[in-house]
Amino acid sequence: MKFSENWLRSWVNPGLTSDELGHVLTMAGLEVEDLVAVAPAFNNVVVACVLSVEKHPDADRLNVCQVDVGEDQPLTIVCGAPNVAAGVKVPCARIGAVLPGDFKIKQAKVRGIPSFGMLCSEKELGLMADSEAHGLWLLPEDAPTGTSLREYLDLDDRLFTLKLTPNRSDCSGMKGVAREVAALTGSEFKSITVDAKPVTLDEQLSVVIEDAEGCPLYCGRVLRGVNAAVPTPVWMVRRLERSGLRSINAVVDVTNYVMWEMGQPMHAFDLSALSGGISVRRARAGEALVLLNEQTVTLDEQTLVIADDARVLALAGIMGGEGSGVDLATRDVFLEAAFFHPDAMAGQARRFGLATDSSFRFERGVDFAATRSAMERATQLILDICGGQAGEISAVQGELPMRAPIVLRGARVARVLGVALDTAQISDVFNRLQFEFTTEGDTFCVTPPSFRFDLAIESDLIEEVARLYGYDNIPALSPHAALTMLPHSETQRPLARILQTLVARDYQEIVSYAFVEEQVERDLCGNDDPVVLQNPIASNMAVMRSSLLGGLVGALRFNLNRRQSRVRLFEVGACFARTPLLNPLPQAGEGASESLRERYVNEYVQTQRLSCIAYGSGLPEQWGAAAKSVDFYDVKADLEALFAPQVLRFVAAVHPALHPGRSAQIYCGDKLTGWIGELHPQWQQEYDMTQAAIWFEVELGALMQALVPRLGEISRFLPVRRDLAVLVDEAVAVQGLLDAMHQAEALHVHEIVLFDVYRGAGVEAGKKSLAFRVLLQDTQKTLTDAEIEPDMALLVGVLNKCGAQLRM
């Protein structure tokens, strides 16, 4: 069973990559035998229109073409293909394109004429063998010029090939595979809508079933005025070709498409070639039939056939006859959809050396409850594509296979699987599989659906429970177990310790929804491309959050509306985005700290973060300290206490939620870890805040990293203090000066700390005075002035290079 992944995802689209989906199917018993790309990798190839063609002045076999690739000016391209002509649409590899085989397109001169690209054949794009390529690949006339070829032809698709076991005939169509994927992943199953076409012909063919055991159900319908010569739609041809089927004509293509879509084989007869009514019977001795593959077969009484009043028309459920097949001249059609019993079909195709898609399905069993629906689906497609009128369906039904109920005991499930599953878990499995069942205690009475011929005994149902529960989830229980201490790495800090630090600093934890309003995501995070939910529970919870800020602001407003004047909140939770970096994105090359709890789902990433917000007074109301509103430095101190003993750096930067002059990126080492700052005045006004709220957010993975303590000698000698006072421009950042002095690695310098900033009398306008405390110490002796002065001179020199002037 071969099919297009994009076709499958039109039915059900789980949040899994192609490889992950293949693994899920294989572990559920639908082995993915092959998973390949539709086309090899290439880029920068677009649909182009050849505007004009002129002979190359210096080469007989070359042409100079003017080519429209959707840009302002056409490109000049030298081409030697024999079929290049003005007006044709062809693939064009622009300069910079990389074709299969790592072939890079560059601007070149061909016999003195500059060429700005290459017109391509299917061979050059890796889509056809050398022997099959004949000149340029001519695209349809309506191909949109300038469109990416990969996008236009859906070449980023991948092809699955399932190695179906004989018991899983229900997955021989896209509907069955999609139903299985939906059950395995819990994703939405999007069933197609079949609109029954109105009956406009008062005409039916009589149908007689002489072998009711071999054919319990036969449906037929007359279609007149059909134009089989119309082109089959491109989307249908593409899906058929990617399923390994070639396009024949519109009517036959529809019957093949419905078989691949619904798992129901169908056949179309040319009505003008039929004599009288249709009968389903056993062949008579001496009868022969020329099949559609031009093979002549001699029939006997064991062969089930479709016949009219004059002759045999087809091998039932295997292949039609050449004399009654539909061709481009056909105008009237008799459409067939039937259920042939698997027992009657077993081995029939092999007797004639045949193995067809129809026989493959009928031998294993098709869904007899969907036969009429398949007839309506085929009618819908034929009339939409080929036109015409439809008569009433001629349906003859005998005794269809009985679906005997199966009893499943919960205790038996536990005994066989070694896992105790409660009634709710087993019921969930059956509901996902679309099984009808009743329960009495832990006993289930399950009626197998019409599309599952492999369910007959209790063990079959236990297998279904195991498949959907997950074989990987069934533990390998050992008879004995030993208790061991779990290892704890010194390089990781427990989350509980981090949270306790925040609680000790007067923060309270909140838990908010991961779903937020789209406008909040745009305003506070600058995220114009959020992860949108397909089925949101409310209009104000339509997208996944890329930051915890929205939830904290909502909780802050909730408390302010209840007269809480001092609020300090924090949250630990997952954020979701299309990129693993913090929003807004850092500039290229800055790097970002990887969270230890990232999980990629499709093209999205889930990251664990910690976020805090503080509002109101810096300290609780008291007599021991003057009232003061919380500010940037109060919250910065809380942040540094969380990371201690790691040293953080703060780099001024602009965030859409923060005051442009009071926000900074947080770096731990050289890795971007988060943001800190004061809420932008615009959002303070928007959310009815009378004063500024201070917020920070960091990646939890970086916060949980701990420095391993290292043994060092403690000096017995007194430290020496020296103060350095310098004048610098107002624009000079203190952090840059500190970094420069630390990088100088003065021999005896133990600590450098800024302890004073002065502006005023004695300092000219546009300048500021900075005072640094420098501690020097040696573990072996008391330092002398002769040893101290070289280190201080080194620091002064570093400051001078940074534009600082020593104050005397």
Side-chain angles (χ1 to χ4, degrees), residues 326-343:
V326 172
D327 57 27
L328 297 178
T330 298
R331 291 296 176 265
D332 302 319
V333 171
F334 180 75
L335 199 58
E336 168 195 283
F339 171 72
F340 301 108
H341 201 286
D343 293 343

Side-chain angles (χ1 to χ4, degrees), residues 63 135 167 180 184 345 361 416 493 585 597 600 624 643 705 738 804:
N63 296 296
N167 64 315
E180 184 75 5
L184 292 169
M345 296 301 301
R361 287 160 175 79
V416 173
R493 288 192 293 174
L585 299 178
R597 301 185 177 211
Y600 283 88
F643 274 87
Q705 294 177 4
L738 288 171

